[in-house]
Each structure stands twice: as structure tokens, then as C-alpha cells.
């Protein structure tokens, strides 16, 4: 069959697969080929090099394996190339550097690894690069600074090393810059001072050191600024209360100090997170339409230990759901409070709390931070316990207070209820996140589906940990890995179904681990938008990527036992 038949159904704009041609009076050539979302298996054939008139090629969200074929470098008329969300292995072929007309390159979650080839420096027409969630190694390429048409750069969840090259300051057309999880060397923010077109700047966990630039407040298009989990010092500049368009500001988990600017909660700001810093000042809202939620616990209102709350040896909650009693008699508290882009909630008996930070950037109003399903959950006697879950685009923390010091079992209940495991393209998503207990990483690159053997299957991870200051902290963190948009936009980040923490034995020799102090935590709700301010003087060094210490043990359990 001739793929270039005029007005063929597979040439229509919404067709999938789509084949569209360009024709002269004597010959036709395929110019547009979209095979995305078709669950195609196997390797890409070398014969693809014959499609030399191709301008748009989409192979994303499939099951392609093997190496990315170097023959793609023969398609020198390409303007857009996509092969993200596949299962390739090996490095990017240097022949991709031949695609000098390329404007868009989507290779996120494709499975490639190794250094980014120097030959890609020839792609000077590139405007958009999505390359997150690949195991790239080596330095963050300096040659990106020569892509003067760059508008979007997303490079999170890799093994790349810093620093961020100072010559990135030449990329004045950038409006969306997302880098994350850079290793080894520190970076500064000096390079951003000329990037005034930015609307999104996310440099989470990039080892950014130094002070916040005053000039950022003059960026008239900046709506999202995320500099959390870095090494920033000094004060938040007073000019940051003059941001004209800023809606989401994340500065948590740094070394910031001093007083908050008195009017930092401007009329445009929806969410502000400055938690895990040593900040002070008047935290009350300064404009109409704001209400304040403040914890009543004395240990959360100053640098005192949480020892005056009464004594407890356990706590449990049904994350995102109602109160429930499990088959073994464990009572799980209701945990259905609506959270948002920066939230803190304390349960009524002051026994535990939950906080969430982060925004689903591509879908800021689409997720409500609770997932739910009507389907039955298998591998458990407690299906109802797993039908709801807390989710977060970045950081989700639970705290237990007033616990007797000693050794505890931390039982973390999971079931993947958002991602499918069908044989369609909707079953190709991967949720990947890390888990920390008491500041130590206990689960890295955790994939619920993979561990449980499929979606809607329950699994319990039990971690043994010490409490030495009557506080338990459990932290679920997205590190830029996993797919972002399967089966629907903004499906990523941590998910937990329920938590049960119980003391297993009195500690005869209390741990000498450095005690963690819990400080001020406030929540401010901005009208119906639920904009929140979280402030805390808790400070952990989780970003040092500590392995689970010797006193911690991790077990995988079947919840049917």
C-alpha cells in the first residue's frame, strides 16, 4: 500500500499511527511519522536511514530496546525527534550531532546512559530539550551555552555532575529551565542574572551555594522558582516581596537565616515554602483573604524538644483516606485533609503530622495530592486500606510526636493505584522515588509496581529505626526519576497508602545519633487557592545521600500475613 495516498486517514492531524508525505510532481517522501503510544517492541531498524526527507519523527512511549541507532543521524532534515519513554540502553550515538536542523529533541526516560556526546554541540538550532530520567554521566555540558535558540531545558534525575557552567547565562531566550540532582561540585546562581525571560526556574538539589541574587525579583515573567534542597546561605532579599508575577516560591532545605521580608506574601503568591531553614520574623499574613493555621504543639513553636506531648509507642494513618481498622486489629487514623502546593497538617490529637511541598508544573490545577481508586487491591486482606494514597510532586513528610525513645518498626504500605499495568501504552509508566527514615535513605529508586509485581497489588516495607528525641520523621522524595506523563499528565512523585509505626523493644542503650530538633511550622492558606507557607528550623543533611545506617533493617512483607 502506498503510504502517501492523498487524503489517507493515517495522514490526518489526530491519526495514530500517523504517516504524512510531501510530494513533488513525480515523487512523494514521508515527512512526518508518528508511532508514539503504540507499545512497539524490538529495535529500530537501520533502514530508517532511508527516510532522508523526514522532518518529524515520534517514537516515544513504546517498548523499543537495544541501542539508539546511529542511522538516525542520516535524517538531516529532522526538525523534531522524540524517542522518550522507551527501554533503550547504551549511550546516545554521536551521529545525532548531524541533525543540524533539529529544533526539538525529546529523549526523557528513554533508558540511555553514559556521557552526553560532544558531537551534540552541532545542534545549534535546538529550542527544546527534554532529557530527564536518564543515566547520563560526566559533567553538565558547557556546549549547551551555544544553543542560542534554547527555550526549554529539562535535565533532572541523572548522574551528571556540576557545576552549572557560568556561560549558561548567554541563554537569554530560556523560559523553562529545570536542572536537578547534580553531583560533586557546588554551583552558584550568578549565571541566571541575565535570563530575564524565565517563567520557570527549578534547580532542586543542584548543590547551589552562596546567596540569593537580588536581581531575580525583577524578572517580570517568573512564575515558579524552586531552589529547594541546596546550600544557599544568608537572608532572603527584601526585594523578593516585590515579585510581580511569582506564584510559587520554594526555598526549603537550605541554610538561609535572618528575618523573612515582611511583605513576601505578595498578592500574586499562591505558595511559599521556606521550611528547614533558620528563619525568623512575623509569619502572619499581611493581606486580606489569608487565614492562618498554626500548630498548638509547643515543640513546634520554638527550638525545644518534643517531650511535652504525652507518651506514645505507636501511630498509624490511612494516607488520603478515612479511619479504618485492618484485619489484624490495627486502627489507622483518618488522613484525608486537603493538602496543596506547600502544606502542613497536624491531626486532632497532636500525635502525628503530614506536610507536602511541590507543584505539578505541567498541570498545576489537575492533581489534588490524594489518589484513589474503586478497584480491588490484591495481595492483601485490607483492600480498602490501599484504595487511597497521599501523592506529592516533590516532598512528602510524616512526623510522629511524643514517642517513647527506643527501637521501632516503621511499616510503609504501598499499592500503585494511578499507573496501569495493562498491555496498552498506558501500562508503560514508571513511578520512582526515594524514602528516608530519621534522615537516612532507606529506599532508593523505589518502584512500587516493580516491587509488588504489578499495579493494584499491596506491598509492605518494614524499616527498623531508632527514636532518640521522641520524634519520628518519614520522608518520601521525588529525585527527578521515572516517567512524568503516563497514563496522564503529571503522574509521578512519591505515593504512600498507609503508615503504621510501633515500638518493638525498649532501647537499653539509647542511640548516640545527633538529635534532631523540630522548630516553627506554620501554614497559611491563601483563599480557595490554598497557598501555604511552611516554616521550620528542622535541618537535616539528607542530601548527602546517606545509606541506611547499620542499626536500620529493611524487610519486604506480604500484607496477607
Amino acid at each position: 500500500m502506498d503510504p502517501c495516498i492523498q487524503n489517507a486517514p493515517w495522514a490526518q492531524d489526530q491519526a495514530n499511527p500517523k504517516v504524512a508525505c510531501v510530494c513533488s510532481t513525480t515523487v512523494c517522501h514521508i515527512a512526518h511519522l508518528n508511532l508514539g503510544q503504540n507499545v512497539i517492541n524490538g529495535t529500530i531498524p537501520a533502514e530508517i536511514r532511508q527516510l532522508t526527507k523526514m522532518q518529524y519523527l515520534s517514537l516515544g512511549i513504546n517498548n523499543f530496546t537495544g541501542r539508539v541507532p546511529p542511522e538516525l543521524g542520516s535524517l538531516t532534515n529532522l526538525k523534531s525527534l522524540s524517542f522518550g519513554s522507551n527501554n533503550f540502553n547504551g549511550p546516545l550515538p554521536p551521529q545525532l550531532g548531524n541533525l543540524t536542523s533539529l529544533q526539538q529533541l525529546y529523549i526523557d526516560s528513554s533508558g540511555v546512559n553514559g556521557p552526553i556526546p560532544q558531537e551534540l554541540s552541532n545542534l545549534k538550532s535546538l529550542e527544546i530539550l527534554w532529557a530527564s530520567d536518564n543515566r547520563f554521566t560526566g559533567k553538565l555540558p558547557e556546549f549547551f551555552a551555544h544553543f542560542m535558540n534554547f527555550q526549554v531545558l529539562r535535565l533532572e534525575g541523572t548522574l551528571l555532575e556540576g557545576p552549572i557552567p557560568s556561560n549558561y547565562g548567554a541563554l537569554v531566550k530560556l523560559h523553562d529551565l529545570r536542572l536537578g540532582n547534580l553531583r560533586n561540585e557546588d554551583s552558584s546562581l550568578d549565571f541566571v542574572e541575565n535570563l530575564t525571560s524565565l517563567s520557570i526556574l527549578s534547580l532542586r538539589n543542584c548543590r547551589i551555594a552562596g546567596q540569593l541574587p537580588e536581581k531575580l525579583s525583577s524578572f517580570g515573567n517568573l512564575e515558579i522558582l524552586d531552589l529547594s534542597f541546596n546550600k544557599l546561605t544568608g537572608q532572603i532579599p527584601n526585594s523578593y516581596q516585590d515579585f510581580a508575577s511569582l506564584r510559587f516560591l520554594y526555598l526549603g532545605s537550605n541554610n538561609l537565616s535572618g528575618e523573612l521580608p515582611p511583605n513576601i506574601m505578595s498578592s500574586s503568591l499562591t505558595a511559599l515554602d521556606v521550611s528547614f531553614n533558620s528563619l525568623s520574623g512575623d509569619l502572619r499574613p499581611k493581606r486580606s483573604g489569608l487565614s492562618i493555621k498554626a500548630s498548638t504543639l509547643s515543640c513546634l513553636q520554638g527550638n525545644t524538644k518534643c517531650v511535652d506531648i504525652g507518651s506514645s509507642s505507636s501511630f498509624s494513618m490511612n494516607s488520603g483516606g478515612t479511619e479504618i481498622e485492618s484485619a489484624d486489629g490495627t486502627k489507622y487514623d483518618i488522613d484525608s485533609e486537603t493538602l496543596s502546593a506547600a502544606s502542613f497538617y497536624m491531626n486532632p490529637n497532636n500525635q502525628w503530622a503530614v506536610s507536602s511541598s511541590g507543584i505539578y508544573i505541567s498541570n498545576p490545577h489537575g492533581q489534588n495530592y490524594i489518589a484513589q481508586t474503586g478497584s480491588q487491591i490484591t495481595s492483601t486482606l485490607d483492600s480498602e486500606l490501599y484504595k487511597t494514597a497521599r501523592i506529592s510532586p516533590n516532598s512528602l513528610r510524616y512526623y510522629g510526636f511524643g514517642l517513647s525513645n527506643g527501637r521501632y518498626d516503621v511499616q510503609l504500605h504501598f499499592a500503585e493505584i494511578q499507573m496501569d499495568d495493562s498491555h496498552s501504552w498506558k501500562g508503560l509508566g514508571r513511578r520512582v522515588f526515594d524514602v528516608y527514615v530519621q534522615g537516612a535513605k532507606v529506599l532508593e529508586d523505589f518502584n512500587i509496581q516493580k516491587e509488588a509485581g504489578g499495579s493494584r497489588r499491596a506491598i509492605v516495607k518494614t524499616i527498623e529505626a531508632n527514636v532518640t528525641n521522641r520524634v519520628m520523621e518519614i520522608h518520601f522524595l521525588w529525585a527527578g526519576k521515572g516517567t512524568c506523563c503516563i497514563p496522564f499528565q503529571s503522574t509521578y512523585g512519591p505515593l504512600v497508602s498507609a503508615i503504621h509505626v510501633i515500638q518493638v523493644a525498649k532501647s537499653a542503650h539509647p542511640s548516640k545519633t545527633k538529635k534532631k530538633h523540630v522548630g516553627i511550622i506554620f501554614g497559611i492558606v491563601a483563599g480557595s487557592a490554598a497557598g501555604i507557607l511552611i516554616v521550620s528550623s528542622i535541618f537535616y543533611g539528607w542530601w548527602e545521600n546517606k545509606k541506611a545506617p547499620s542499626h536500620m533493617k529493611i524487610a519486604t512483607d506480604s500484607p496477607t500475613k
Side-chain angles (χ1 to χ4, degrees):
M1 180 180 292
D2 183 358
C4 295
I5 296 174
Q6 191 173 9
N7 299 321
W10 54 80
Q12 305 306 310
D13 287 343
Q14 303 303 318
N16 187 2
K18 176 180 179 178
V19 182
C21 300
V22 291
C23 299
S24 66
T25 55
T26 58
V27 66
C28 290
H29 298 277
I30 295 175
H32 189 144
L33 179 61
N34 179 10
L35 299 177
Q37 300 181 350
N38 280 285
V39 200
I40 302 174
N41 297 304
T43 59
I44 298 175
E47 287 77 9
I48 198 168
R49 65 177 178 270
Q50 299 175 19
L51 303 178
T52 56
K53 301 298 183 181
M54 186 87 70
Q55 297 181 37
Y56 302 93
L57 176 60
S58 177
L59 304 171
I61 312 183
N62 280 297
N63 268 330
F64 284 116
T65 55
R67 299 294 183 98
V68 176
E71 288 80 6
L72 287 175
S74 299
L75 310 184
T76 55
N77 286 302
L78 274 179
K79 295 181 179 179
S80 178
L81 173 61
S82 170
F83 54 83
S85 298
N86 273 288
N87 293 308
F88 294 108
N89 58 62
L92 287 173
Q95 289 84 353
L96 293 182
N98 297 332
L99 307 180
T100 55
S101 297
L102 200 65
Q103 298 172 5
Q104 301 175 4
L105 180 58
Y106 303 97
I107 58 174
D108 49 307
S109 304
S110 61
V112 295
N113 56 51
I116 297 176
Q118 180 66 31
E119 288 80 0
L120 267 60
S121 62
N122 296 325
L123 306 184
K124 292 184 172 61
S125 297
L126 204 61
E127 298 176 2
I128 298 174
L129 174 60
W130 291 15
S132 297
D133 185 36
N134 289 303
R135 297 185 68 81
F136 292 127
T137 57
K139 294 281 190 179
L140 191 62
E142 289 194 13
F143 63 74
F144 282 170
H146 303 303
F147 296 173
M148 304 309 295
N149 293 315
F150 241 166
Q151 298 178 31
V152 178
L153 173 58
R154 301 185 187 180
L155 199 51
E156 301 174 294
T158 71
L159 301 177
L160 288 170
E161 302 174 5
I164 301 173
S166 59
N167 59 0
Y168 280 22
L171 301 174
V172 295
K173 292 185 179 181
L174 272 177
H175 62 78
D176 184 348
L177 176 59
R178 306 183 207 179
L179 305 176
N181 311 97
L182 296 179
R183 298 167 179 244
N184 293 340
E185 296 186 44
D186 291 350
S187 298
S188 79
L189 288 173
D190 293 344
F191 78 96
V192 304
E193 294 202 356
N194 294 322
L195 306 184
T196 56
S197 297
L198 285 170
S199 60
I200 298 171
L201 176 59
S202 178
L203 303 175
R204 189 187 306 117
N205 194 21
C206 284
R207 299 183 61 92
I208 306 291
Q211 298 189 345
L212 289 164
E214 290 262 1
K215 192 174 180 180
L216 274 178
S217 61
S218 66
F219 287 19
N221 299 313
L222 193 60
E223 295 186 8
I224 299 171
L225 176 59
D226 188 347
L227 301 174
S228 54
F229 301 105
N230 280 299
K231 304 167 68 176
L232 293 167
T233 56
Q235 293 184 297
I236 299 175
N238 284 330
S239 61
Y240 279 38
Q241 62 194 1
D242 300 323
F243 266 113
S245 57
L246 195 67
R247 297 176 56 212
F248 302 93
L249 176 57
Y250 296 100
L251 300 174
S253 297
N254 278 286
N255 296 323
L256 298 171
S257 59
E259 291 198 4
L260 281 171
N263 297 312
I264 194 168
M265 287 168 283
S266 66
S267 58
S268 64
L269 200 64
T270 299
L272 170 64
D273 181 0
V274 289
S275 60
F276 297 86
N277 287 287
S278 298
L279 293 164
S280 59
D282 187 355
L283 306 175
R284 294 172 297 179
K286 297 295 184 182
R287 58 181 171 88
S288 61
L290 291 177
S291 60
I292 187 166
K293 294 192 303 182
S295 169
T296 59
L297 295 179
S298 60
C299 69
L300 297 180
Q301 297 175 350
N303 292 323
T304 59
K305 301 174 186 177
C306 287
V307 295
D308 302 322
I309 313 174
S311 182
S312 174
S313 60
S314 67
F315 65 95
S316 308
M317 74 286 298
N318 178 18
S319 301
T322 60
E323 183 177 357
I324 192 171
E325 183 173 340
S326 65
D328 66 2
T330 301
K331 293 183 178 180
Y332 292 83
D333 292 342
I334 182 175
D335 177 24
S336 59
E337 184 76 8
T338 298
L339 301 183
S340 60
S343 306
F344 176 84
Y345 169 74
M346 177 75 67
N347 84 318
N349 64 11
N350 296 333
Q351 190 178 18
W352 57 266
V354 58
S355 70
S356 180
S357 179
I359 178 178
Y360 294 99
I361 293 178
S362 299
N363 193 22
H365 304 296
Q367 292 275 36
N368 63 2
Y369 301 83
I370 290 178
Q372 52 190 343
T373 182
S375 300
Q376 285 296 110
I377 308 300
T378 61
S379 302
T380 179
L381 300 177
D382 299 300
S383 180
E384 293 300 317
L385 187 65
Y386 296 88
K387 289 185 176 182
T388 61
R390 285 278 185 202
I391 56 175
S392 174
N394 182 8
S395 173
L396 176 66
R397 299 178 193 258
Y398 278 92
Y399 304 94
F401 301 112
L403 296 171
S404 300
N405 289 339
R407 194 175 297 272
Y408 283 76
D409 274 349
V410 180
Q411 297 177 7
L412 306 177
H413 296 253
F414 303 98
E416 181 55 72
I417 59 175
Q418 284 192 311
M419 292 186 172
D420 202 345
D421 57 0
S422 68
H423 296 295
S424 75
W425 68 268
K426 294 183 178 181
L428 299 177
R430 292 182 296 105
R431 183 191 305 277
V432 179
F433 58 94
D434 299 335
V435 180
Y436 296 78
V437 174
Q438 298 296 66
K441 185 186 291 185
V442 296
L443 297 174
E444 184 173 15
D445 295 345
F446 182 60
N447 182 325
I448 300 171
Q449 276 181 305
K450 183 177 179 180
E451 291 281 336
S455 295
R456 296 178 294 279
R457 294 174 61 93
I459 186 172
V460 180
K461 287 288 186 178
T462 300
I463 293 94
E464 194 175 276
N466 284 333
V467 169
T468 60
N469 67 341
R470 305 192 67 185
V471 178
M472 174 71 74
E473 186 212 33
I474 305 164
H475 187 193
F476 306 90
L477 182 70
W478 181 64
K481 299 178 182 179
T483 55
C484 70
C485 312
I486 306 172
F488 48 84
Q489 194 77 7
S490 300
T491 308
Y492 65 90
L495 177 152
V496 61
S497 304
I499 296 174
H500 176 51
V501 176
I502 186 167
Q503 190 172 22
V504 294
K506 293 288 184 180
S507 177
H509 303 285
S511 170
K512 296 182 180 180
T513 303
K514 184 178 180 180
K515 295 182 179 180
K516 302 171 180 65
H517 299 276
V518 181
I520 304 168
I521 301 180
F522 282 87
I524 297 175
V525 182
S528 61
I532 300 294
L533 164 66
I534 307 174
V535 182
S536 169
S537 62
I538 308 171
F539 187 76
Y540 299 130
W542 67 265
W543 53 86
E544 296 176 359
N545 293 323
K546 296 179 181 178
K547 299 296 182 181
S550 58
H551 69 270
M552 286 191 174
K553 298 178 181 179
I554 305 171
T556 302
D557 304 313
S558 168
T560 58
K561 290 182 180 178

